[in-house]
Amino acid sequence: MSVKYGILTILSQSPKHRYDLKVTLENMMYKQWTLNPGQVYSTIDRLVRDKLVEEVSNAENDLKLYQITKNGREEVERWLQNPIEVLLLHDEFFFKILCAKRLNFDLLNKMIFQQKEAVIKKILQLHYLRKELENTAESEAMLYLIEGGLLHLEADLKWMDMISDLEGY
Amino acid sequence: MINVRNLKKSYQISDDRYQVLNDINLDVSKGEFVSIMGPSGSGKSTLLNILGGLDTPDSGEVLINNINIDSLNDKKKTLFRRENIGFIFQNYQLLHNMTVEENISMPMHADKINKNIIEKQVKDIIDAVGLKGKEKNFPSQLSGGQQQRVSIARALIMNPVLILADEPTGNLDRKTGTEVLKLLSNLHRNNHLTILMVTHDIYAASYSDRIILLKDGHVEMDVKHEKEGENVDLITNILEKLNS
């Protein structure tokens, strides 16, 4: 996930100071993802350097307040509208299959079995998370992600079954 | 709740004998929602039929609440099924010349239950499955999803301890299927029902707490959810998956 676009999204709604940005970003992810403060702060500095975000004076206290610039808004729009390149080998298991076949790895069957088990465990985890979120407000976006995650995992399982069939396991 | 021991079943087709279930061992606790998955011919429907007393094993035993269903005579077996097990089928198996409420109340009439009790329970169950206003409709006047709701209501009307569902969403599109799965999931959660569902669809299985994979008549995999630390980094994983 891109911290950069998370920050730009939040600043598109209202100016924030550094710590507030970190907390809001974590809340947006239902506190499931703890951010390293250094990662957030260095990203803000880069966004300021690139003129996508600017500091504004804060009369109430000494904390630096950040707001998005016109360029920053255009950057978010561009990012939202551009499709993401699909890179199959970003999935390590795709790459593992490639390497295992190259080595004629004799435990390919076990490798697929274990990966199937891991995928099914993940599916059950998503089921529980979905159950938890169904009872909370403002969870629609995360429920969409869970459905997306389930569809990906479903495809992974079908693909592994296909390899098993082709390999005669 | 359910204990399956060394279960074997084979079928004779022409000159060949096919081993459909090959030494299945399985324990299901009260209140579990279990999916049984596997490719065609893996034995999943045969297993469900034996669990429900609709088929008999060659050897081994099935205990439901410590009762060996196969040891009962036909009359006792029918009674045991009616009072303890609710069945849900892919093709609903509704009687088309009967209304929604008549289909649902059918198992109660067989038990000669008082008319007022029947009316009250049918009304409650119709509300619970979201079919209010459809009481006098015939199955042909309902959508596939609604027909499956009738079949779920009929399965629940005798307050069974166990629900056996064979591909309950197999004839439904994903949206309608999801509604049926949510209904089953809510009934499971609210009434502590034990559900065994056969499905070929991992998305449907994602509504259960445990997934058992059958392959060539044996249990290939039995995966339960580990509640501890379940959501650590979960969203990050989903996002990585979506971006990969």
Side-chain angles (χ1 to χ4, degrees):
Chain A
M1 155 163 159
S2 168
V3 175
K4 172 185 168 182
Y5 291 106
I7 290 173
L8 287 175
T9 297
I10 288 163
L11 291 182
S12 294
Q13 295 180 298
S14 65
K16 293 251 180 310
H17 59 71
R18 284 172 183 250
Y19 181 72
D20 200 9
L21 256 176
K22 174 185 173 294
V23 172
T24 310
L25 196 52
E26 283 174 348
N27 285 343
M28 190 169 101
M29 303 309 299
Y30 288 86
K31 295 181 184 172
Q32 303 291 324
W33 191 43
T34 309
L35 291 164
N36 172 2
Q39 192 185 2
V40 176
Y41 300 163
S42 63
T43 307
I44 296 170
D45 292 341
R46 277 200 301 278
L47 289 168
V48 171
R49 181 198 67 198
D50 296 339
K51 297 188 170 41
L52 301 173
V53 164
E54 61 191 6
E55 281 181 37
V56 286
S57 57
N58 186 358
E60 287 175 21
N61 53 45
D62 292 338
L63 291 173
K64 286 180 186 171
L65 202 61
Y66 295 90
Q67 71 180 14
I68 194 164
T69 64
K70 184 169 172 289
N71 285 349
R73 286 187 191 279
E74 285 169 2
E75 177 69 12
V76 177
E77 286 262 329
R78 190 163 51 243
W79 174 67
L80 287 174
Q81 288 189 44
N82 280 347
I84 296 162
E85 194 181 352
V86 180
L87 298 168
L88 290 179
L89 294 183
H90 269 197
D91 185 321
E92 195 179 340
F93 196 68
F94 272 66
F95 193 55
K96 265 194 183 181
I97 290 285
L98 195 73
C99 296
K101 287 297 288 175
R102 193 178 181 93
L103 293 173
N104 287 324
F105 187 52
D106 59 359
L107 295 176
L108 183 65
N109 189 13
K110 190 179 173 196
M111 198 177 117
I112 292 171
F113 179 88
Q114 286 174 340
Q115 189 63 24
K116 262 174 84 171
E117 195 172 31
V119 167
I120 291 173
K121 277 186 181 161
K122 191 64 72 187
I123 285 170
L124 290 175
Q125 278 186 345
L126 288 180
H127 159 59
Y128 274 84
L129 187 61
R130 179 172 56 194
K131 263 204 231 179
E132 281 174 26
L133 291 177
E134 273 170 356
N135 297 323
T136 62
E138 297 174 347
S139 58
E140 192 180 49
M142 195 50 73
L143 287 170
Y144 284 162
L145 296 191
I146 290 172
E147 293 298 315
L150 283 168
L151 287 172
H152 275 264
L153 293 168
E154 182 179 7
D156 282 351
L157 273 186
K158 284 182 179 166
W159 176 61
M160 283 187 268
D161 282 342
M162 190 192 81
I163 297 173
S164 294
D165 282 348
L166 292 172
E167 294 284 333
Y169 298 139
Chain B
M1 170 80 211
I2 301 176
N3 311 99
V4 177
R5 292 286 169 266
N6 309 111
L7 199 69
K8 290 186 177 181
K9 177 73 181 177
S10 59
Y11 291 112
Q12 185 81 33
I13 301 175
S14 307
D15 294 336
D16 297 315
R17 189 143 200 99
Y18 290 94
Q19 195 70 37
V20 185
L21 297 177
N22 194 4
D23 206 19
I24 301 268
N25 287 285
L26 201 61
D27 293 297
V28 176
S29 307
K30 187 175 184 307
E32 275 194 291
F33 185 170
V34 182
S35 285
I36 300 170
M37 299 191 68
S40 300
S42 59
K44 51 190 193 300
S45 287
T46 304
L47 176 61
L48 205 73
N49 288 339
I50 292 175
L51 292 178
L54 301 173
D55 201 349
T56 52
D58 295 341
S59 61
E61 63 177 13
V62 172
L63 302 179
I64 296 176
N65 281 344
N66 295 319
I67 293 171
N68 184 345
I69 189 166
D70 202 40
S71 68
L72 303 174
N73 63 33
D74 283 351
K75 196 177 169 192
K76 282 186 175 169
K77 199 185 273 187
T78 304
L79 196 65
F80 180 85
R81 265 203 305 262
R82 196 159 66 224
E83 290 180 348
N84 294 283
I85 305 173
F87 292 92
I88 301 168
F89 301 96
Q90 179 175 357
N91 56 4
Y92 327 128
Q93 298 205 359
L94 301 177
L95 293 172
H96 288 271
N97 56 347
M98 285 188 176
T99 63
V100 165
E101 56 188 9
E102 286 167 348
N103 263 288
I104 293 171
S105 62
M106 205 172 51
M108 300 184 93
H109 290 297
D111 251 14
K112 293 179 183 147
I113 294 169
N114 178 288
K115 198 181 162 203
N116 291 337
I117 295 174
I118 292 179
E119 278 177 12
K120 165 85 173 66
Q121 278 189 229
V122 168
K123 185 187 171 301
D124 288 349
I125 204 87
I126 281 177
D127 286 351
V129 300
L131 284 172
K132 205 171 174 181
K134 304 284 181 192
E135 294 85 347
K136 305 291 179 195
N137 284 42
F138 288 94
S140 59
Q141 297 170 307
L142 303 176
S143 68
Q146 289 169 331
Q147 290 188 54
Q148 193 56 296
R149 284 168 187 269
V150 178
S151 128
I152 291 171
R154 185 186 53 193
L156 292 172
I157 196 71
M158 298 294 283
N159 292 318
V161 292
L162 173 65
I163 293 284
L164 299 177
D166 195 353
E167 300 276 9
T169 58
N171 281 352
L172 305 174
D173 60 56
R174 179 154 280 193
K175 185 172 175 286
T176 317
T178 301
E179 286 167 8
V180 166
L181 289 165
K182 279 185 180 167
L183 172 64
L184 275 179
S185 178
N186 287 337
L187 291 166
H188 162 249
R189 197 181 334 182
N190 299 336
N191 305 329
H192 307 291
L193 275 173
T194 308
I195 303 179
L196 250 77
M197 175 173 76
V198 158
T199 179
H200 67 279
D201 178 8
I202 188 71
Y203 183 81
S206 81
Y207 278 83
S208 55
D209 307 320
R210 178 178 167 194
I211 296 176
I212 294 170
L213 293 191
L214 291 188
K215 190 177 180 186
D216 302 328
H218 68 269
V219 175
E220 185 196 25
M221 204 179 283
D222 186 347
V223 187
K224 272 189 197 182
H225 181 61
E226 292 150 17
K227 289 188 178 178
E228 296 298 318
E230 63 195 18
N231 292 333
V232 177
D233 291 335
L234 193 55
I235 303 299
T236 318
N237 289 340
I238 301 169
L239 291 167
E240 279 172 3
K241 201 79 200 164
L242 290 171
N243 280 326
S244 67

